[in-house]
Amino acid sequence: GKKDKIAADKAAVDAMRTKLNEIEMKGKIVIGEGELDEAPMLFIGENLGTMSGPELDIAVDPLEGTNFAANNLPGALSVISVAEKSNLLSAPETYMDKISANVPSGIIDLDYSIKKNINNLAEFKNKRPDELTACILDRPRHKEIIENLKDLNVNLKLISDGDVSGALLVTHKKHNVDIFLGIGGGPEGVLAASALDSFDCFFQGRFIFDSENDKMRAKKMGIKNFNKKYSLKEIITGDSIFCATGITSGDLVSGINIEDDHFISETLITHKSTGFKSNIKIKQKINGT
């Protein structure tokens, strides 16, 4: 609420990096604040931890919704996903076309038209299209998609930011979102996929490369097919742990609440192999003890 998104992001990065370096692991950032020349900390390729213990890939978004935090608006999160080495797709800092829903494979697809996806989803859920709700980022690039959804009388949940949380609203009926779609950040797509995997949801993503420079950076990360449509299991190839902690209260979790000399946080945690997925609240003294 101090109108300074840069300071808010720095606070999140500093805190997350400090704690990660205390963990007994050989950690490596595969999705972070950017490449080394763009980000002094939590950059892609940075090694973290005590350098003893398991080799882990780490994907982070220390502050999703910097504008939310800076303006004290709902929905700011701190997000992390951890997996064994090579189990997280190393996503370039580029856009990704995405689609997610709590359905089995074959119902919806990035290559289907909006009408076909909605009709298939309505049939699967035994609903009319006007009983469905689609979540999408409120961006000019989505004008045609939004118009198509309106023509089908689909209810809209337009979000200004929060690409990770938007994709996760399909996980539970309490959020009243049936499908998430549209173009957002590629790294955020990988983070969302980590949680969606634990909920057995459907997710697809396809990177969008607007320049030759984007393609060159992607090649360095091992991406050869620039038109590839990634399934969830190709993005998350093994077990993973996902955590999203609320900074300001939103749809997924409550934000930080201060009571006397304690703060109370709420975190959505998922762990694929154990089937664990729950919101956990922690009360901790402000001085950290």
Side-chain angles (χ1 to χ4, degrees), residues 6 16 47 51 121 124 128 135 138 140 156 198 223 231 258 266 284:
I6 294 175
M16 183 176 279
N47 294 315
M51 290 299 108
L121 186 62
F124 176 79
R128 302 189 307 270
C135 180
D138 190 7
L156 297 174
S198 294
I223 294 175
S231 69
I258 297 175
E266 183 176 17
Q284 187 172 339

Side-chain angles (χ1 to χ4, degrees), residues 100-108 121 124-125 178 200-203:
S100 69
N102 197 347
V103 296
S105 180
I107 306 297
I108 60 174
L121 186 62
F124 176 79
K125 294 201 168 192
D178 298 283
D200 292 322
C201 289
F202 176 86
F203 180 87

Side-chain angles (χ1 to χ4, degrees), residues 25-264:
M25 65 174 177
K26 298 174 184 176
K28 183 178 181 180
I29 297 291
V30 296
I31 290 174
E33 292 292 275
E35 296 179 49
L36 178 57
D37 58 349
E38 299 173 355
M41 294 191 295
L42 295 182
F43 59 85
I44 297 170
E46 182 176 6
N47 294 315
L48 295 173
T50 63
M51 290 299 108
S52 63
E55 292 187 84
L56 301 175
D57 283 348
I58 305 169
V60 301
D61 191 346
L63 178 52
E64 186 194 44
T66 53
N67 287 318
F68 293 158
N71 295 294
N72 199 15
L73 294 172
L77 297 172
S78 187
V79 185
I80 185 168
S81 177
V82 180
E84 292 182 352
K85 185 179 179 180
S86 302
N87 281 0
L88 287 179
L89 179 67
S90 185
E93 291 281 326
T94 186
Y95 282 122
M96 176 188 272
D97 194 9
K98 315 170 193 178
I99 191 167
S100 69
N102 197 347
V103 296
S105 180
I107 306 297
I108 60 174
D109 196 284
L110 280 176
D111 290 333
Y112 293 168
S113 66
I114 298 296
K115 184 175 182 179
K116 183 173 182 178
N117 276 324
I118 293 301
N119 286 338
N120 284 1
L121 186 62
E123 183 179 355
F124 176 79
K125 294 201 168 192
N126 196 26
K127 293 182 177 181
R128 302 189 307 270
D130 63 357
E131 295 175 310
L132 298 175
T133 298
C135 180
I136 187 170
L137 281 166
D138 190 7
R139 296 286 190 274
R141 63 178 177 265
H142 291 147
K143 181 180 179 181
E144 184 177 347
I145 296 176
I146 291 171
E147 289 302 318
N148 287 336
L149 291 168
K150 287 166 67 177
D151 288 342
L152 294 166
N153 292 318
V154 175
N155 300 296
L156 297 174
K157 182 179 177 68
L158 299 177
I159 56 176
S160 61
D161 290 288
D163 211 3
V164 175
S165 58
L168 299 188
L169 294 179
V170 304
T171 57
H172 199 286
K173 61 182 179 182
K174 68 182 179 182
H175 301 308
N176 193 32
V177 170
D178 298 283
I179 186 171
F180 174 83
L181 70 167
I183 297 170
E188 287 83 355
V190 175
L191 282 161
S194 176
L196 290 166
D197 194 23
S198 294
F199 285 95
D200 292 322
C201 289
F202 176 86
F203 180 87
Q204 275 182 346
R206 181 188 283 124
F207 292 112
I208 299 172
F209 301 103
D210 293 324
S211 68
E212 286 302 316
N213 186 48
D214 288 342
K215 291 180 180 179
M216 286 179 61
R217 290 163 64 193
K219 282 183 179 179
K220 291 179 181 178
M221 292 183 172
I223 294 175
K224 299 177 182 178
N225 183 353
F226 299 133
N227 298 310
K228 182 176 175 60
K229 182 172 59 179
Y230 290 87
S231 69
L232 192 153
K233 297 299 182 186
E234 291 174 305
I235 297 172
I236 311 293
T237 55
D239 194 16
S240 69
I241 296 173
F242 170 91
C243 298
T245 300
I247 296 171
T248 59
S249 295
D251 292 313
L252 290 177
V253 286
S254 298
I256 300 297
N257 184 31
I258 297 175
E259 292 183 0
D260 300 323
D261 61 343
H262 288 77
F263 66 82
I264 300 170

